Amino acid sequence: MGGVQYLGEFEQIVLLAILRMGDDAYGVTIGAEIRQQTARAPAAGALYTTLDRLEEKGLVSSAMGDPTPQRGGRAKRFFKVTSTGMQALTQGLRSYQNLTRGLQLPGLEHA
Amino acid sequence: MRNHNIGEWILGQLMTPERAAAMVGDLKQNGVGPLEFWMAIGSSVLHAISADVLVAAAKGFFLQFLLALLLTPVMPFMFLLRFASWPWVSALLILGIQVLTGIWLGRQTDRRPLLACMIVVVADCVLGLLRFNNASINMSIWSIPLLATTAAISRRHRRKSIA
């Protein structure tokens, strides 16, 4: 599959949250990390749909964990960013850097 | 617990059972209340309405009219031969149309035939409201289990033949 995939804003946020959570990246922790870092509570439907879409694009991979009694015997679904996802994410963030270089945006330490 | 199982079943019509269970497990772990739980299920359903599901539903909706045109000539024949009274002939016709539409939807939509069926039923109900082509809201609602069942059977049969 050639060419860089362009990500939407929420897709980038989800990918970054997955990277930040490392091996513990599943729905609950990803949503909590997004809520903590962005002061934005993602709708469950939007979050899981985005995760599915990212996996369909090959940007993340998922694996089922062990079921736990806390979850009613249901397993967790852990996510990892693939190398393709890293490329797409890096490209998107590099674009932001290029666009914000030299700008003095209020509330930001570096622009 | 019962709500979680029902929600998991609904999600299972839109995604794999494992993913549905994982999502419901996440919601249960978060300790969300019933309102938030069902809002999450509902938003997942809405987000699951992808273009291909809408296209399949639209085709299924118009397929009903096409089938009605094709099968309607049979009705007077059956009535004249006194196989059944006129209301029964109409009921059989509608039954046949729903079964054939359900089978077609099951073959067209790989993962979400139930969602496509529900969209078709909603469209039928809208027609019933507009009183166009003598469509009936009651008949549309009663056709839900038949449409969904035939679509699910058709999808299962298609998967077995592929595997």
Side-chain angles (χ1 to χ4, degrees):
Chain A
M1 203 185 259
V4 177
Q5 298 198 40
Y6 294 100
L7 302 174
E9 182 212 3
F10 190 62
E11 289 177 329
Q12 290 187 351
I13 289 174
V14 170
L15 286 175
L16 289 168
I18 294 173
L19 286 173
R20 290 179 65 86
M21 298 314 301
D23 292 336
D24 196 34
Y26 63 103
V28 173
T29 57
I30 294 170
E33 185 68 12
I34 292 173
R35 196 160 38 244
Q36 182 178 356
Q37 299 298 334
T38 67
R40 168 181 172 177
L47 175 61
Y48 290 105
T49 301
T50 300
L51 287 168
D52 285 341
R53 188 167 57 242
L54 289 172
E55 190 168 15
E56 286 172 8
K57 291 181 181 179
L59 304 180
V60 301
S61 61
S62 68
M64 302 303 294
D66 295 326
T68 61
Q70 182 189 15
R71 298 163 59 87
R74 297 174 178 89
K76 296 175 184 177
R77 186 178 163 206
F78 293 98
F79 293 88
K80 282 191 182 302
V81 181
T82 62
S83 57
T84 307
M86 288 296 290
Q87 286 180 11
L89 187 59
T90 303
Q91 175 66 28
L93 294 176
R94 190 177 297 126
S95 299
Y96 277 122
Q97 284 182 343
N98 292 339
L99 286 168
T100 56
R101 190 178 299 123
L103 293 178
Q104 297 296 325
L105 298 174
L108 287 183
E109 290 182 3
H110 303 282
Chain B
M1 185 67 173
R2 184 179 172 192
N3 282 340
H4 292 147
N5 291 337
I6 295 173
E8 187 175 338
W9 179 86
I10 293 173
L11 289 178
Q13 307 307 311
L14 311 173
M15 58 187 73
T16 63
E18 295 79 19
R19 293 184 178 189
M23 181 177 166
V24 171
D26 287 346
L27 293 171
K28 184 176 170 60
Q29 183 177 336
N30 267 338
V32 301
L35 179 62
E36 192 174 344
F37 176 79
W38 286 111
M39 285 179 65
I41 300 296
S43 65
S44 293
V45 171
L46 287 177
H47 281 97
I49 301 179
S50 57
D52 57 339
V53 172
L54 281 176
V55 168
K59 289 180 180 178
F61 177 71
F62 286 109
L63 179 65
Q64 294 175 106
F65 290 101
L66 181 63
L67 289 173
L69 281 175
L70 293 173
L71 294 176
T72 297
V74 176
M75 288 177 62
F77 179 73
M78 292 180 68
F79 182 71
L80 287 174
L81 290 182
R82 303 188 182 193
F83 283 151
S85 61
W86 191 254
W88 275 107
V89 171
S90 299
L92 284 174
L93 176 66
I94 294 172
L95 201 73
I97 289 173
Q98 297 297 351
V99 168
L100 291 173
T101 303
I103 291 173
W104 186 86
L105 283 173
R107 289 183 171 276
Q108 291 299 312
T109 55
D110 191 33
R111 290 183 299 168
R112 301 162 186 167
L114 182 61
L115 192 57
C117 291
M118 292 304 299
I119 295 173
V120 171
V121 168
V122 168
D124 287 341
C125 288
V126 170
L127 278 189
L129 281 173
L130 297 174
R131 295 194 178 276
F132 176 75
N133 200 27
N134 294 323
S136 163
I137 297 178
N138 283 338
M139 187 63 69
S140 302
I141 294 173
W142 282 109
S143 71
I144 292 175
L146 181 63
L147 202 59
T149 303
T150 51
I153 293 173
S154 174
R155 181 182 65 156
R156 196 169 294 126
H157 177 74
R158 177 168 168 260
R159 283 186 170 177
K160 283 183 182 176
S161 62
I162 291 174

PDB file of all heavy atoms in Angstrom, chain B residues 100-113:
ATOM      1  N   LEU B 100     -37.798 -12.625   0.426  1.00  0.00           N
ATOM      2  CA  LEU B 100     -36.830 -12.452  -0.654  1.00  0.00           C
ATOM      3  C   LEU B 100     -35.923 -11.248  -0.400  1.00  0.00           C
ATOM      4  O   LEU B 100     -34.723 -11.297  -0.670  1.00  0.00           O
ATOM      5  CB  LEU B 100     -37.570 -12.291  -1.986  1.00  0.00           C
ATOM      6  CG  LEU B 100     -38.292 -13.549  -2.488  1.00  0.00           C
ATOM      7  CD1 LEU B 100     -39.133 -13.234  -3.706  1.00  0.00           C
ATOM      8  CD2 LEU B 100     -37.284 -14.649  -2.808  1.00  0.00           C
ATOM      9  N   THR B 101     -36.494 -10.165   0.114  1.00  0.00           N
ATOM     10  CA  THR B 101     -35.676  -8.988   0.432  1.00  0.00           C
ATOM     11  C   THR B 101     -34.678  -9.300   1.533  1.00  0.00           C
ATOM     12  O   THR B 101     -33.513  -8.898   1.471  1.00  0.00           O
ATOM     13  CB  THR B 101     -36.575  -7.809   0.860  1.00  0.00           C
ATOM     14  OG1 THR B 101     -37.512  -7.536  -0.162  1.00  0.00           O
ATOM     15  CG2 THR B 101     -35.732  -6.557   1.117  1.00  0.00           C
ATOM     16  N   GLY B 102     -35.125 -10.046   2.535  1.00  0.00           N
ATOM     17  CA  GLY B 102     -34.215 -10.426   3.625  1.00  0.00           C
ATOM     18  C   GLY B 102     -33.072 -11.294   3.121  1.00  0.00           C
ATOM     19  O   GLY B 102     -31.919 -11.105   3.499  1.00  0.00           O
ATOM     20  N   ILE B 103     -33.389 -12.238   2.257  1.00  0.00           N
ATOM     21  CA  ILE B 103     -32.347 -13.091   1.681  1.00  0.00           C
ATOM     22  C   ILE B 103     -31.349 -12.253   0.886  1.00  0.00           C
ATOM     23  O   ILE B 103     -30.128 -12.417   0.996  1.00  0.00           O
ATOM     24  CB  ILE B 103     -32.968 -14.180   0.779  1.00  0.00           C
ATOM     25  CG1 ILE B 103     -33.734 -15.187   1.635  1.00  0.00           C
ATOM     26  CG2 ILE B 103     -31.896 -14.892  -0.041  1.00  0.00           C
ATOM     27  CD1 ILE B 103     -34.518 -16.190   0.837  1.00  0.00           C
ATOM     28  N   TRP B 104     -31.862 -11.328   0.108  1.00  0.00           N
ATOM     29  CA  TRP B 104     -30.986 -10.480  -0.697  1.00  0.00           C
ATOM     30  C   TRP B 104     -30.104  -9.610   0.193  1.00  0.00           C
ATOM     31  O   TRP B 104     -28.901  -9.469  -0.053  1.00  0.00           O
ATOM     32  CB  TRP B 104     -31.833  -9.602  -1.629  1.00  0.00           C
ATOM     33  CG  TRP B 104     -31.005  -8.818  -2.586  1.00  0.00           C
ATOM     34  CD1 TRP B 104     -30.541  -9.225  -3.805  1.00  0.00           C
ATOM     35  CD2 TRP B 104     -30.525  -7.493  -2.398  1.00  0.00           C
ATOM     36  NE1 TRP B 104     -29.798  -8.223  -4.386  1.00  0.00           N
ATOM     37  CE2 TRP B 104     -29.774  -7.150  -3.555  1.00  0.00           C
ATOM     38  CE3 TRP B 104     -30.652  -6.549  -1.384  1.00  0.00           C
ATOM     39  CZ2 TRP B 104     -29.174  -5.907  -3.697  1.00  0.00           C
ATOM     40  CZ3 TRP B 104     -30.043  -5.319  -1.525  1.00  0.00           C
ATOM     41  CH2 TRP B 104     -29.310  -5.011  -2.676  1.00  0.00           C
ATOM     42  N   LEU B 105     -30.681  -9.015   1.243  1.00  0.00           N
ATOM     43  CA  LEU B 105     -29.896  -8.179   2.159  1.00  0.00           C
ATOM     44  C   LEU B 105     -28.822  -9.003   2.859  1.00  0.00           C
ATOM     45  O   LEU B 105     -27.706  -8.529   3.079  1.00  0.00           O
ATOM     46  CB  LEU B 105     -30.805  -7.519   3.200  1.00  0.00           C
ATOM     47  CG  LEU B 105     -31.616  -6.315   2.717  1.00  0.00           C
ATOM     48  CD1 LEU B 105     -32.593  -5.881   3.790  1.00  0.00           C
ATOM     49  CD2 LEU B 105     -30.705  -5.166   2.335  1.00  0.00           C
ATOM     50  N   GLY B 106     -29.142 -10.229   3.219  1.00  0.00           N
ATOM     51  CA  GLY B 106     -28.159 -11.085   3.872  1.00  0.00           C
ATOM     52  C   GLY B 106     -26.983 -11.387   2.964  1.00  0.00           C
ATOM     53  O   GLY B 106     -25.862 -11.575   3.425  1.00  0.00           O
ATOM     54  N   ARG B 107     -27.238 -11.419   1.671  1.00  0.00           N
ATOM     55  CA  ARG B 107     -26.157 -11.698   0.715  1.00  0.00           C
ATOM     56  C   ARG B 107     -25.363 -10.449   0.365  1.00  0.00           C
ATOM     57  O   ARG B 107     -24.211 -10.535  -0.061  1.00  0.00           O
ATOM     58  CB  ARG B 107     -26.741 -12.290  -0.564  1.00  0.00           C
ATOM     59  CG  ARG B 107     -27.263 -13.707  -0.367  1.00  0.00           C
ATOM     60  CD  ARG B 107     -27.767 -14.293  -1.673  1.00  0.00           C
ATOM     61  NE  ARG B 107     -28.061 -15.696  -1.500  1.00  0.00           N
ATOM     62  CZ  ARG B 107     -27.162 -16.660  -1.583  1.00  0.00           C
ATOM     63  NH1 ARG B 107     -25.915 -16.380  -1.855  1.00  0.00           N
ATOM     64  NH2 ARG B 107     -27.508 -17.912  -1.398  1.00  0.00           N
ATOM     65  N   GLN B 108     -25.988  -9.283   0.523  1.00  0.00           N
ATOM     66  CA  GLN B 108     -25.342  -8.052   0.094  1.00  0.00           C
ATOM     67  C   GLN B 108     -24.487  -7.429   1.192  1.00  0.00           C
ATOM     68  O   GLN B 108     -23.453  -6.842   0.915  1.00  0.00           O
ATOM     69  CB  GLN B 108     -26.391  -7.025  -0.365  1.00  0.00           C
ATOM     70  CG  GLN B 108     -27.073  -7.420  -1.652  1.00  0.00           C
ATOM     71  CD  GLN B 108     -26.102  -7.547  -2.790  1.00  0.00           C
ATOM     72  OE1 GLN B 108     -25.275  -6.671  -3.015  1.00  0.00           O
ATOM     73  NE2 GLN B 108     -26.175  -8.637  -3.515  1.00  0.00           N
ATOM     74  N   THR B 109     -24.954  -7.487   2.430  1.00  0.00           N
ATOM     75  CA  THR B 109     -24.251  -6.835   3.526  1.00  0.00           C
ATOM     76  C   THR B 109     -23.532  -7.894   4.336  1.00  0.00           C
ATOM     77  O   THR B 109     -24.155  -8.736   4.948  1.00  0.00           O
ATOM     78  CB  THR B 109     -25.228  -6.076   4.429  1.00  0.00           C
ATOM     79  OG1 THR B 109     -26.237  -6.976   4.857  1.00  0.00           O
ATOM     80  CG2 THR B 109     -25.856  -4.936   3.679  1.00  0.00           C
ATOM     81  N   ASP B 110     -22.210  -7.794   4.343  1.00  0.00           N
ATOM     82  CA  ASP B 110     -21.436  -8.860   4.970  1.00  0.00           C
ATOM     83  C   ASP B 110     -21.550  -8.854   6.480  1.00  0.00           C
ATOM     84  O   ASP B 110     -21.685  -9.892   7.111  1.00  0.00           O
ATOM     85  CB  ASP B 110     -19.965  -8.715   4.556  1.00  0.00           C
ATOM     86  CG  ASP B 110     -19.138  -9.919   4.948  1.00  0.00           C
ATOM     87  OD1 ASP B 110     -19.687 -11.034   4.935  1.00  0.00           O
ATOM     88  OD2 ASP B 110     -17.964  -9.764   5.296  1.00  0.00           O
ATOM     89  N   ARG B 111     -21.496  -7.695   7.088  1.00  0.00           N
ATOM     90  CA  ARG B 111     -21.418  -7.656   8.537  1.00  0.00           C
ATOM     91  C   ARG B 111     -22.668  -7.125   9.213  1.00  0.00           C
ATOM     92  O   ARG B 111     -22.883  -7.375  10.372  1.00  0.00           O
ATOM     93  CB  ARG B 111     -20.244  -6.782   8.973  1.00  0.00           C
ATOM     94  CG  ARG B 111     -18.891  -7.383   8.682  1.00  0.00           C
ATOM     95  CD  ARG B 111     -17.768  -6.501   9.205  1.00  0.00           C
ATOM     96  NE  ARG B 111     -17.754  -5.199   8.603  1.00  0.00           N
ATOM     97  CZ  ARG B 111     -17.015  -4.192   9.062  1.00  0.00           C
ATOM     98  NH1 ARG B 111     -16.283  -4.348  10.119  1.00  0.00           N
ATOM     99  NH2 ARG B 111     -17.033  -3.034   8.453  1.00  0.00           N
ATOM    100  N   ARG B 112     -23.475  -6.394   8.511  1.00  0.00           N
ATOM    101  CA  ARG B 112     -24.543  -5.686   9.209  1.00  0.00           C
ATOM    102  C   ARG B 112     -25.882  -5.834   8.505  1.00  0.00           C
ATOM    103  O   ARG B 112     -26.514  -4.838   8.181  1.00  0.00           O
ATOM    104  CB  ARG B 112     -24.196  -4.207   9.342  1.00  0.00           C
ATOM    105  CG  ARG B 112     -22.905  -4.010  10.101  1.00  0.00           C
ATOM    106  CD  ARG B 112     -22.322  -2.647   9.870  1.00  0.00           C
ATOM    107  NE  ARG B 112     -21.016  -2.554  10.512  1.00  0.00           N
ATOM    108  CZ  ARG B 112     -20.152  -1.595  10.299  1.00  0.00           C
ATOM    109  NH1 ARG B 112     -20.427  -0.644   9.451  1.00  0.00           N
ATOM    110  NH2 ARG B 112     -18.990  -1.578  10.904  1.00  0.00           N
ATOM    111  N   PRO B 113     -26.335  -7.043   8.304  1.00  0.00           N
ATOM    112  CA  PRO B 113     -27.628  -7.174   7.628  1.00  0.00           C
ATOM    113  C   PRO B 113     -28.778  -6.676   8.484  1.00  0.00           C
ATOM    114  O   PRO B 113     -29.745  -6.128   7.962  1.00  0.00           O
ATOM    115  CB  PRO B 113     -27.739  -8.681   7.370  1.00  0.00           C
ATOM    116  CG  PRO B 113     -26.892  -9.311   8.396  1.00  0.00           C
ATOM    117  CD  PRO B 113     -25.756  -8.341   8.633  1.00  0.00           C
TER     118      PRO B 113
END
